[in-house]
Amino acid sequence: MQLKERLHSEEWIDDHRLEWWDKSFLAVILHPVINKNNINICDFGCGEGHWLLSASRVMDLSQTNITLVDQESVWLQKAEERLRPLCKGLLTYQEDVQKLSFPDASFDFSTCQTLVMHTKDPYSAVSEMIRVTKRGGYLLICEPVNVINRCQLALALRYLTPSESSLLLKVWHAYHLGVQKVKGYHYDIALEMLDIFRCCGYSRNEISIYKNSISVVHGNNDGSLESEYHDDNFYYANIGGDITKNEWNVCRQLSIKLSDLAKDDCTVFTDTLFTFGVIIK
């Protein structure tokens, strides 16, 4: 099956990302840099700049120098347009986070949102971000456990039978394995982040872990995730776990059923972003 080539993360980069973060939560995870002026910031895999736009709700960026890194020139242009008015200086670099051109200790604050999950070598990506961050600087990485999102696990356990919940988990776990086999992406990378940091020389006590508390209604207008059950996603599920078309269609119906059973529940789509913060040593 030939899949249509798209701009990287095109289907996921939009202004809904600005709704992912509660202001009080941002203040907690950004506390090491929230009151610092004249610092150099780098946003890796910046997309349209949503992550630093969110950070600007609790950080004054007017005296900061921002560097944006992305592999797509389109995202760099869009992010620059949105962020340049907020900061003192801004530079853009089109390059791969797994092999950065910057000298060691270039930035006071390095950060990324849903980037490591898209790298073929997550260890190299994290190691490089650590390398280019100054000693005493702050590295903040935000990554998901997406299988919980896609199978709507919280609602499934509440409203469906154990066998129905298990099928949803089986299908979407297979999908993530398929994506990893074909593209090398790690859609549940947050589960691996502690081990990655340990390999980079950081103990558990040196890593601050936070769970985002925001819940977002996502999917069709009725709040369901039925729109996720399309042919491209079935292709990956079939590769990752020999999922049959019948199992796929049953899960589509379960998604619709969940939407109906949970129509008064505001947590149709529970966000599962985890943030990992370290002070560079």
Side-chain angles (χ1 to χ4, degrees):
M1 176 180 178
Q2 185 68 35
L3 298 183
K4 178 185 176 183
E5 288 296 322
R6 310 176 76 170
L7 192 63
H8 194 282
S9 297
E10 180 180 0
E11 67 271 38
W12 300 114
I13 294 184
D14 59 41
D15 282 355
H16 283 100
R17 285 176 171 253
L18 298 174
E19 302 170 7
W20 286 4
W21 304 99
D22 177 79
K23 188 174 181 179
S24 60
F25 184 77
L26 288 169
V28 170
I29 64 176
L30 293 168
H31 74 274
V33 291
I34 202 168
N35 292 316
K36 292 188 176 182
N37 294 317
N38 297 310
I39 60 173
N40 294 317
I41 299 173
C42 190
D43 183 2
F44 297 99
C46 63
E48 288 191 12
H50 293 108
W51 180 217
L52 287 186
L53 285 171
S54 296
S56 71
R57 295 169 60 193
V58 295
M59 285 183 68
D60 180 6
L61 300 178
S62 63
Q63 298 303 308
T64 65
N65 292 298
I66 292 176
T67 298
L68 302 175
V69 174
D70 204 287
Q71 287 187 297
E72 301 282 359
S73 60
V74 173
W75 296 145
L76 287 170
Q77 181 181 351
K78 289 178 179 292
E80 180 178 7
E81 290 171 357
R82 303 183 80 166
L83 290 167
R84 184 172 289 281
L86 303 181
C87 62
K88 183 169 65 175
L90 188 146
L91 298 171
T92 63
Y93 290 84
Q94 187 177 358
E95 56 184 74
D96 183 355
V97 70
Q98 297 163 106
K99 192 175 181 180
L100 295 168
S101 64
F102 306 110
D104 295 354
S106 294
F107 306 107
D108 302 287
F109 174 36
S110 298
T111 190
C112 68
Q113 176 181 269
T114 60
L115 167 68
V116 180
M117 63 183 285
H118 293 296
T119 61
K120 296 189 182 299
D121 185 352
Y123 168 79
S124 291
V126 175
S127 180
E128 277 290 86
M129 286 188 279
I130 290 172
R131 180 185 66 78
V132 300
T133 307
K134 296 177 182 178
R135 185 175 182 180
Y138 187 45
L139 172 61
L140 182 65
I141 294 176
C142 310
E143 297 294 337
V145 183
N146 270 325
V147 71
I148 299 174
N149 290 341
R150 291 185 182 275
C151 73
Q152 298 174 277
L153 187 59
L155 288 182
L157 292 174
R158 192 179 311 167
Y159 293 107
L160 301 180
T161 67
S163 62
E164 290 172 331
S165 299
S166 295
L167 180 59
L168 284 169
L169 187 59
K170 171 188 174 183
V171 162
W172 286 107
H173 179 61
Y175 164 79
H176 287 173
L177 289 177
V179 169
Q180 188 168 340
K181 287 180 180 179
V182 175
K183 294 185 174 182
Y185 300 159
H186 305 256
Y187 279 5
D188 299 315
I189 191 63
L191 297 175
E192 303 175 41
M193 288 303 301
L194 276 181
D195 287 337
I196 293 171
F197 272 115
R198 288 192 186 105
C199 290
C200 293
Y202 288 83
S203 68
R204 172 63 185 86
N205 291 336
E206 295 173 303
I207 307 165
S208 297
I209 305 175
Y210 305 91
K211 164 68 177 68
N212 193 13
S213 58
I214 291 290
S215 295
V216 183
V217 175
H218 175 84
N220 294 342
N221 292 332
D222 61 3
S224 79
L225 288 185
E226 183 190 359
S227 60
E228 293 288 286
Y229 292 90
H230 53 74
D231 287 344
D232 284 3
N233 283 351
F234 172 69
Y235 167 78
Y236 292 118
N238 181 256
I239 286 179
D242 292 324
I243 299 302
T244 67
K245 197 68 173 181
N246 180 63
E247 289 174 314
W248 187 252
N249 289 331
V250 168
C251 285
R252 176 189 282 115
Q253 294 306 310
L254 288 175
S255 177
I256 298 170
K257 178 180 178 180
L258 266 180
S259 176
D260 182 59
L261 290 172
K263 59 186 175 183
D264 296 323
D265 195 320
C266 65
T267 58
V268 171
F269 184 83
T270 304
D271 183 83
T272 53
L273 276 175
F274 291 80
T275 61
F276 302 84
V278 296
I279 303 298
I280 302 302
K281 58 186 181 182

